Amino acid sequence: MKIFGLIRILFVFVGFILFSSCQDDDICVESLSPRLTIVFLDSLGEKQMLDSIFVDVVDLSNNRIRINTIDSANVDSLQLNIPIQSTAVKYIFYRSTTTGITDEIQLTYTPKMVFVSKACGFAYNFYQTSYTTTNNLITSITQNTDAIENEQETNLFIIY
Amino acid sequence: MSKKPIFLLFTSLSFFLFFSQEKNVEEKSVKINTKELVKDKKSDKSKSDFFIGIDIFNPIYGLLTDKKGYEARLSYQKKFNWAYVIEIGTEQNVYQQNSWDIGIKGPYVRLGVDKFLIVDDYTTKKNGFYVGLRAAFSRYNRNPRQVPIRASDGSLLELATLPEEDVNAFWMEIPLGARVDVYKNKLFIDFSVRPKILLGGSTGESGIENITIPGFGLEQSGLNFGANWSLVYNLAL
């Protein structure tokens, strides 16, 4: 009788294999190549709501792309794409499309491939970051991190 | 992946059919030899048995998939219900999903014990069900021919090729199986199914974790299942 009990266990075992073979855990849930996270502050160091902000991104080959057009919406932060096949990028900030007064923030960095998971593959993180800015409308900038590794952390404060 | 369960079911069913045919004959022999049982038990203590075998399941499975491998086993039984087992093998495989293209190849080794719980034939004590434990290790070559790099939103940024590297992995297995005589108490079939639990390993220069491993197969949340269907020859010493 014990033999039959064991046969039953073996069948359950085989059934479990049939079931588990059909399952796939290949869903990417981890965070990947992060964007640059910027938070706007006022002169008192409090978060500042901007009613409009426009950003152009200019890569090393001087290709200029409008990447953010946030108009008539209150924003206190932005996330900007970082080109991976480059070591520097220039962001041009407009407070309004009509005044024409702009500020340029240049970001230099070292991109590095990092393994995330089987489902996600690799992502790029950005290290040794440094920033320079013009001071037309921007009062100053404060660098918060030396590396850009996730999107939860603020990398740069801009004080208008 | 889809062919594996069907094949597994077929081999295990054929095994059970085979086993049930054997049973009637052996029950008779149990009755006849009851008197000799006590004598046999005494002599078993001094008797040692070596079993050598080759796996048939994985080479046949390899005909249907990219996973090619061979495995041999040697087990030693001093007392009839405990077996010390070594399994060595070599395997090559590819992983081509989610924009990956990785090739692996290398040897592996498993060491462990099998505890025979139910012995079916009291005259020889070579047929029976067992549960076992294995510690396994593989050092293998990995060739990441194509790796995906993804943007913030999960879209594919680019595909890269990374250099070949030697990495390793270690894991444990819990075989649940049976051994049954097919020819004159000399030739046996040893069938087992086994959950495999990945314990660790190296990532290499690239940082890629173990994805598919010789002797382990495709890692799925650190787990996998395997099957082994070996022809085993008994060397009684």
Side-chain angles (χ1 to χ4, degrees):
Chain A
M1 285 304 107
K2 275 183 178 176
I3 296 270
F4 289 111
L6 269 164
I7 286 171
R8 204 175 300 132
I9 290 168
L10 268 182
F11 266 111
V12 169
F13 219 56
V14 171
F16 189 47
I17 293 168
L18 292 173
F19 177 72
S20 65
S21 299
C22 303
Q23 289 191 324
D24 205 343
D25 64 347
D26 291 338
I27 299 157
C28 178
V29 289
E30 291 90 346
S31 58
L32 295 160
S33 307
R35 291 169 293 178
L36 170 67
T37 304
I38 296 170
V39 170
F40 301 110
L41 302 177
D42 61 19
S43 54
L44 299 170
E46 301 291 324
K47 272 192 182 179
Q48 188 183 18
M49 288 288 186
L50 303 181
D51 49 14
S52 63
I53 185 86
F54 305 88
V55 185
D56 285 0
V57 60
V58 184
D59 64 20
L60 283 182
S61 359
N62 269 327
N63 298 313
R64 187 165 173 159
I65 313 156
R66 172 67 50 90
I67 55 166
N68 280 75
T69 308
I70 298 165
D71 201 358
S72 67
N74 286 332
V75 288
D76 62 5
S77 64
L78 274 184
Q79 288 186 315
L80 304 176
N81 287 319
I82 303 168
I84 53 159
Q85 276 151 340
S86 180
T87 55
V89 61
K90 201 190 288 176
Y91 298 105
I92 302 174
F93 288 76
Y94 304 75
R95 286 301 298 276
S96 122
T97 46
T98 50
T99 59
I101 299 170
T102 61
D103 275 300
E104 290 182 11
I105 291 180
Q106 176 143 355
L107 164 64
T108 59
Y109 51 89
T110 308
K112 188 171 181 279
M113 269 173 72
V114 288
F115 176 78
V116 180
S117 68
K118 181 177 75 177
C120 299
F122 278 79
Y124 271 106
N125 283 354
F126 307 95
Y127 296 96
Q128 295 160 337
T129 55
S130 66
Y131 305 84
T132 57
T133 185
T134 57
N135 296 105
N136 300 323
L137 289 170
I138 291 173
T139 314
S140 66
I141 57 171
T142 306
Q143 183 171 350
N144 195 40
T145 61
D146 292 333
I148 303 169
E149 291 172 315
N150 62 63
E151 295 191 348
Q152 284 72 53
E153 208 169 24
T154 302
N155 308 118
L156 185 71
F157 293 107
I158 296 180
I159 299 154
Y160 269 108
Chain B
M1 221 43 209
S2 60
K3 286 167 186 165
K4 186 182 173 184
I6 299 158
F7 185 66
L8 203 59
L9 186 67
F10 178 75
T11 48
S12 51
L13 280 177
S14 64
F15 163 75
F16 287 121
L17 284 173
F18 190 76
F19 192 82
S20 54
Q21 278 173 356
E22 286 284 301
K23 223 182 157 278
N24 292 335
V25 185
E26 282 154 9
E27 269 177 1
K28 259 183 228 167
S29 67
V30 170
K31 278 169 193 163
I32 296 162
N33 295 315
T34 332
K35 282 180 185 173
E36 293 168 26
L37 199 62
V38 181
K39 204 164 72 185
D40 272 5
K41 256 192 176 169
K42 276 178 188 167
S43 64
D44 269 328
K45 280 183 182 169
S46 56
K47 200 165 96 184
S48 350
D49 282 314
F50 280 98
F51 293 87
I52 53 169
I54 48 162
D55 177 37
I56 308 294
F57 177 84
N58 287 298
I60 294 172
Y61 184 56
L63 298 174
L64 310 169
T65 65
D66 292 321
K67 181 176 156 179
K68 315 281 180 206
Y70 303 95
E71 186 178 307
R73 53 188 282 131
L74 175 68
S75 70
Y76 168 75
Q77 277 171 273
K78 176 95 191 212
K79 290 175 183 173
F80 74 84
N81 56 352
W82 279 102
Y84 304 95
V85 188
I86 179 167
E87 294 161 339
I88 55 168
T90 175
E91 188 179 306
Q92 56 175 311
N93 204 351
V94 294
Y95 179 71
Q96 289 170 322
Q97 287 172 46
N98 297 318
S99 309
W100 289 92
D101 182 4
I102 290 186
I104 58 133
K105 59 177 182 219
Y108 60 90
V109 60
R110 303 191 195 102
L111 287 168
V113 289
D114 287 336
K115 164 77 173 160
F116 279 78
L117 297 171
I118 309 280
V119 177
D120 189 61
D121 186 340
Y122 288 93
T123 54
T124 65
K125 301 178 180 78
K126 287 170 185 172
N127 290 336
F129 286 91
Y130 62 83
V131 59
L133 189 67
R134 300 278 187 283
F137 178 79
S138 177
R139 182 174 166 79
Y140 63 98
N141 177 271
R142 179 169 64 198
N143 187 6
R145 291 183 286 257
Q146 181 181 299
V147 304
I149 307 162
R150 292 183 192 278
S152 178
D153 60 0
S155 64
L156 204 58
L157 277 173
E158 61 177 17
L159 297 166
T161 300
L162 296 174
E164 280 186 44
E165 56 191 356
D166 286 329
V167 290
N168 61 62
F170 53 95
W171 67 97
M172 60 180 280
E173 300 183 4
I174 305 161
L176 190 57
R179 189 175 58 206
V180 62
D181 177 32
V182 287
Y183 183 71
K184 291 185 173 174
N185 254 318
K186 276 288 166 193
L187 197 61
F188 296 81
I189 282 171
D190 190 310
F191 171 75
S192 65
V193 287
R194 36 181 81 187
K196 305 176 179 196
I197 304 153
L198 186 63
L199 299 175
S202 68
T203 55
E205 282 275 299
S206 64
I208 303 171
E209 285 166 10
N210 285 297
I211 290 179
T212 178
I213 307 158
F216 184 91
L218 183 65
E219 178 272 336
Q220 285 174 304
S221 310
L223 298 173
N224 200 0
F225 279 85
N228 186 303
W229 204 97
S230 292
L231 268 180
V232 176
Y233 184 74
N234 176 217
L235 295 164
L237 298 177

